Amino acid sequence: MNHPSLRELHDFADRTLDAASAARVGAHLASCPRCAAEHRLILMTGEALRRLPPESPSPGFTARLHHALGLRQHVSLWWLVLRNLAPLVAAVAVAAVILTLGAPGGGLPGGDGVPGGGSGAGSVTPAPRAPLVDPGAAAGAIRSVAGRAAEWTGAVTARLVESTIGGNSLSQLALAGLVLGMLALLDRFLLGPIFRRRS
Amino acid sequence: MRISDNDIIVRLRKGDHRHFAALVDRYRDRGYSLALRILRSPRDAEEALQDAFVRAWRGLGEFQGSSTFATWFYRILYNVCMTALAKRRKERIFADGGEEDLPDPGAEPAMPGDWSGLELRDLTERVAGALRELPPKYASIITLFHLQELSHAEIAEVTGLPVGTIKTHLFRARVLLQKAALAKIDDERIAV
């Protein structure tokens, strides 16, 4: 029996043989178990090579490359906002939950006579109805909303301070969380960039 | 939707540098695998890969688009690796007084025995180990063919070698790999 060479078997597996040679080798493989086994091994080796996963450089390679090129890595704006505000949001959420569940009298401002809280009734006079195009009325509405926000914030702070002085440990924890969140924000946006730039 | 390499290059040329990261993501691991199999040192491979990306970035204006970006980039990386390898060999010649010859399997290796019961998973593990010991000229071509999935003509473009030489190298590389992988299995069978 005239066996094809090993090189021919490889070329047959790679489909780089001309049509006549491919037909001859194909016919031989159908009748020769030894060459068929060899051909199968060639195919298996190719498949094994294709299955090998690509390897990765060490972590931080891309960042180092960007640094070497003097490029800044593009980061999504939303991710930046989320990352920077996360400590504050988390602190406020914790504070709100603790105040709601743990503070004496329960609930946030307005529940026990704090002005301007809760239902929003309070002492603030609602802005008069006016067309949107009227600048005077719009300014009044903005002032009204700002006034309510200031009252609400003041009420929360007052409640926290009151609870803290009164020795409510949960409120003290909430206040500490809020302060830490503010400090984290201050560091990220104001102090950090200044000192990093200087160093 | 995946943006094509050529579209990314058009945007980079317009000054939109954000898309360079996408190119790096696409070619980082495959490029690193190629460099690692040629240089056999993770540190040298990373250096070569970074060098290749820097050269590609600076030479984007020279990329004509007559070949694919992949072929163009791998050519840069291959040349960087070969330069590093040549430098390393030169240093070794000065240190040892002679160049170590790489093993060659010969033109027509003998056919191995009966491996009909061999499992693909076993062979893959052995091939991975054997690939790390393959001479760089074979390891590079086998990586470009099987991992990067380039054609013979594209590999010829990357390496600057004739297509016939690529086919010969590929053939010898696979025979060497098979021999090494099957020898490991033989050793294990004898040990058992």
Side-chain angles (χ1 to χ4, degrees), chain B residues 86-146:
Chain B
K87 191 181 166 194
R88 196 193 285 172
R89 278 180 183 157
K90 206 173 174 183
E91 286 168 358
R92 202 182 298 161
I93 289 169
F94 280 114
D96 303 342
E99 189 176 6
E100 191 184 338
D101 217 6
L102 295 168
D104 196 307
E108 295 291 336
M111 287 201 183
D114 176 27
W115 299 102
S116 51
L118 186 64
E119 293 289 330
L120 181 60
R121 195 177 54 187
D122 291 337
L123 186 64
T124 305
E125 283 174 19
R126 268 65 176 192
V127 160
L131 191 55
R132 284 192 277 272
E133 294 158 21
L134 208 60
K137 68 176 175 181
Y138 295 143
S140 57
I141 285 169
I142 216 160
T143 303
L144 288 167
F145 187 77
H146 287 287

Side-chain angles (χ1 to χ4, degrees), chain B residues 25-170:
Chain B
D25 282 347
R26 261 174 220 184
Y27 292 98
R28 182 187 52 217
D29 290 358
R30 285 167 182 264
Y32 178 71
S33 298
L34 176 63
L36 187 62
R37 284 168 193 175
I38 296 174
L39 297 171
R40 298 191 202 171
S41 149
R43 190 178 164 185
D44 290 353
E46 274 198 25
E47 273 181 24
L49 183 63
Q50 179 165 320
D51 193 7
F53 273 125
V54 170
R55 282 166 191 249
W57 169 254
R58 291 181 182 153
L60 270 180
E62 295 164 23
F63 177 65
Q64 302 297 320
S66 53
S67 60
T68 61
F69 175 80
T71 311
W72 185 71
F73 175 71
Y74 289 137
R75 179 164 195 156
I76 295 172
L77 179 60
Y78 180 83
N79 287 337
V80 168
C81 290
M82 285 303 161
T83 305
L85 204 59
K87 191 181 166 194
R88 196 193 285 172
R89 278 180 183 157
K90 206 173 174 183
E91 286 168 358
R92 202 182 298 161
I93 289 169
F94 280 114
D96 303 342
E99 189 176 6
E100 191 184 338
D101 217 6
L102 295 168
D104 196 307
E108 295 291 336
M111 287 201 183
D114 176 27
W115 299 102
S116 51
L118 186 64
E119 293 289 330
L120 181 60
R121 195 177 54 187
D122 291 337
L123 186 64
T124 305
E125 283 174 19
R126 268 65 176 192
V127 160
L131 191 55
R132 284 192 277 272
E133 294 158 21
L134 208 60
K137 68 176 175 181
Y138 295 143
S140 57
I141 285 169
I142 216 160
T143 303
L144 288 167
F145 187 77
H146 287 287
L147 180 69
Q148 268 76 352
E149 296 180 332
L150 301 189
S151 66
H152 292 117
E154 286 172 325
I155 298 172
E157 202 178 318
V158 168
T159 58
L161 297 169
V163 171
T165 308
I166 300 299
K167 285 183 181 176
T168 303
H169 279 5
L170 195 57

Side-chain angles (χ1 to χ4, degrees), chain A residues 3-10 12-13 25 28-29 32-46, chain B residues 109-116 118 123 171 174-176 178-179 182:
Chain A
H3 296 286
S5 69
L6 193 54
R7 176 69 183 260
E8 275 183 308
L9 287 179
H10 277 261
F12 181 76
V25 172
H28 178 82
L29 288 178
C32 177
R34 182 185 163 193
C35 288
E38 182 58 40
H39 178 246
R40 180 174 166 267
L41 186 59
I42 293 168
L43 293 178
M44 276 177 76
T45 306
Chain B
M111 287 201 183
D114 176 27
W115 299 102
S116 51
L118 186 64
L123 186 64
F171 163 65
R174 283 195 294 220
V175 171
L176 271 179
Q178 276 179 18
K179 272 186 174 179
L182 299 180

